[in-house]
């Protein structure tokens, strides 16, 4: 069984599930930046497949204080 399905089996279907992801826009984007998107998307799809009331949210964190450093 897939890891995301194992996680979904441990949750209560009567509870709404929130899968949340964020990305900081500081620095250049690279292939490794996609890891978070992919993992959270897989988890969300596994929850939906098992009949959960699940929502996936994503934000871009553009208030990163590190952006102001030289």
């Amino acid at each position: 069984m897939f890891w995301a399905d194992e996680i979904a089996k441990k949750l209560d279907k009567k509870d709404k599930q929130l899968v949340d992801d964020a990305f900081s826009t500081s620095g250049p984007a690279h292939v490794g930046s996609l890891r978070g998107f992919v993992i959270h998307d897989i988890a969300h799809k596994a929850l939906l497949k098992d009949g959960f009331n699940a929502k996936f949210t994503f934000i871009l964190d553009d208030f990163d204080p590190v952006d102001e450093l030289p």
Side-chain angles (χ1 to χ4, degrees), residues 1-69:
M1 183 166 274
F2 195 59
W3 63 265
D5 297 322
E6 288 291 326
I7 293 171
K9 285 172 60 175
K10 297 177 183 178
L11 302 173
D12 191 354
K13 286 191 179 185
K14 68 181 177 185
D15 296 332
K16 184 173 183 177
Q17 301 297 323
L18 175 64
V19 180
D20 190 28
D21 194 4
F23 183 76
S24 176
T25 57
S26 64
H30 51 83
V31 174
S33 303
L34 295 174
R35 182 176 183 255
F37 302 122
V38 172
I39 289 174
H40 291 112
D41 182 59
I42 290 170
H44 180 243
K45 288 179 179 175
L47 291 168
L48 293 177
K49 182 184 77 165
D50 285 348
F52 282 89
N53 180 10
K55 181 178 180 180
F56 178 70
T57 60
F58 178 79
I59 62 166
L60 289 173
D61 180 10
D62 60 348
F63 292 106
D64 189 351
V66 176
D67 286 341
E68 296 177 14
L69 296 176

